[in-house]
Amino acid sequence: MPELPDLEGFRTYLAATSLHREIVAADVRTRWMLEGISPKRLQRELTGRSFESTHRHGKWLFVGTRPPGNLALHFGMTGHLEYYKPNGGAPEHTRMLLDFDNGYRLAYVCQRKLGHLAWVEDVERFCEEKNLGPDAMRVERKRFVEDLGGRRGRIKAALMGQHVVAGLGNVWVDEALFQTGIHPLATPKQLDRQTLERLYRVMRRVLRVAIREAVHGGRYPSGYIRGRRGEGEPCPRCDQPLERIKINQRSTYFCPQCQPE
DNA sequence: AGTACCACCTGACGGC
DNA sequence: TGCCGTCAGGTGGTAC
């Protein structure tokens, strides 16, 4: 379930493996995961170029090229990258395959075709058109508190949408709310400024921890509910059974004791 | 400006 | 064995 931390993992992975090498062949094997470009044209754009830089905004990864351009990758729910020395076929569910001039390959794998690929000239404009808010790790506290405070719906729905901040998904919204002690059905209006500021700090701390895990491997702190997504699992803080409800059709786990309404 | 519901897609799992 | 419903969950469209 790629959310912001996983994307940060993909970004560093690509940066560590695939920069400054000419792309000698591009094989785009899907048509309708592409946004505004045909497979043929994307292949033509990529072939002969090299990746030079990486940038992440929310759950989008942008790879800057020479000559200038950007490959934009979204990973849906099941996407990832695989860099490898070919000795036969490509990984199962490979949707795009790039051959570099050193004999290595980069595969964009996406089992459920919920990801997207695009060719982007202007990254900032692309994010604006998608209505993406500031990245959750770069948003300023003031803006976060004000934008979130102005929402009328449930706080979980507001954080799940990518408009207030971009990058949070189902799992890390639940974690941030749990660690802050906020009930997922609460409305931002019910929360005072201090609580929203606390949520801001906790969200960033949680994401930092998750990024460390996604990039370097490691474990989540034992106090996290991340690994306990199951109804009735004990709360890591108070041992009460966790509850599951649906918010915007999404399974939401929380502790009724630690996150009172 | 919200929410509900549906769709995209694939695979795992439980019930019968 | 196999058929069926449900779930996983990011995103976008439509109807209310």
Side-chain angles (χ1 to χ4, degrees):
Chain A
M1 17 82 253
E3 299 183 31
L4 187 154
D6 311 279
L7 261 289
E8 197 56 28
F10 300 153
R11 189 189 66 74
T12 54
Y13 180 74
L14 190 144
T17 57
S18 306
L19 295 188
H20 317 303
R21 286 283 176 190
E22 189 186 333
I23 298 167
V24 294
D27 179 11
V28 179
R29 306 175 167 189
T30 168
R31 170 167 294 277
W32 63 273
M33 292 171 70
L34 304 189
E35 290 190 7
I37 192 169
S38 69
K40 267 204 172 119
R41 229 199 91 211
L42 182 56
Q43 285 172 187
R44 209 167 58 231
E45 294 288 3
L46 288 169
T47 307
R49 278 187 155 91
S50 60
F51 291 151
E52 297 295 327
S53 62
T54 60
H55 175 70
R56 185 191 54 72
H57 188 112
K59 298 171 192 171
W60 282 91
L61 173 59
F62 300 96
V63 190
T65 66
R66 192 181 60 199
N70 295 278
L71 174 66
L73 304 104
H74 192 285
F75 293 86
M77 279 181 28
T78 55
H80 68 276
L81 298 171
E82 281 184 45
Y83 179 82
Y84 65 104
K85 184 129 190 161
N87 61 348
E92 207 178 348
H93 310 300
T94 293
R95 312 300 179 192
M96 181 179 68
L97 199 52
L98 305 179
D99 284 28
F100 296 106
D101 63 5
N102 61 352
Y104 278 76
R105 278 180 163 172
L106 183 68
Y108 166 79
V109 182
C110 197
Q111 182 207 92
R112 289 182 244 181
K113 304 166 176 168
L114 298 175
H116 303 278
L117 298 171
W119 182 251
V120 174
E121 308 283 346
D122 185 336
V123 169
E124 228 169 276
R125 217 178 86 198
F126 180 83
C127 292
E128 273 169 32
E129 283 167 3
K130 294 246 170 245
N131 223 334
L132 295 183
D135 182 80
M137 281 306 281
R138 293 190 292 265
V139 62
E140 287 176 16
R141 186 180 69 172
K142 190 161 177 277
R143 174 158 182 190
F144 176 83
V145 169
E146 280 169 11
D147 285 2
L148 188 58
R151 289 313 196 94
R152 290 211 244 123
R154 295 154 180 164
I155 194 159
K156 163 137 183 179
L159 292 171
M160 284 279 286
Q162 302 294 294
H163 315 305
V164 176
V165 287
L168 294 179
N170 201 30
V171 166
W172 294 111
V173 168
D174 280 3
E175 191 67 57
L177 292 177
F178 171 73
Q179 297 293 334
T180 319
I182 296 175
H183 195 288
L185 288 174
T187 56
K189 276 198 169 162
Q190 301 171 315
L191 306 170
D192 57 22
R193 191 178 180 92
Q194 278 82 351
T195 305
L196 292 178
E197 288 178 353
R198 204 151 43 80
L199 173 60
Y200 173 82
R201 286 195 301 274
V202 169
M203 170 186 79
R204 289 162 57 94
R205 193 186 69 222
V206 162
L207 288 174
R208 263 199 310 278
V209 169
I211 287 170
R212 203 187 317 139
E213 193 279 340
V215 173
H216 305 294
R219 295 206 182 132
Y220 300 113
S222 56
Y224 276 38
I225 59 165
R226 169 73 182 85
R228 306 194 180 192
R229 296 184 72 75
E231 199 167 5
E233 295 256 341
C235 168
R237 191 167 291 168
C238 73
D239 257 6
Q240 290 288 310
L242 298 178
E243 251 181 52
R244 185 178 87 149
I245 57 175
K246 289 263 186 189
I247 297 180
N248 290 13
Q249 340 287 83
R250 290 281 165 272
S251 282
T252 300
Y253 296 94
F254 70 103
C255 172
Q257 187 120 326
C258 301
Q259 298 162 267
E261 282 211 72

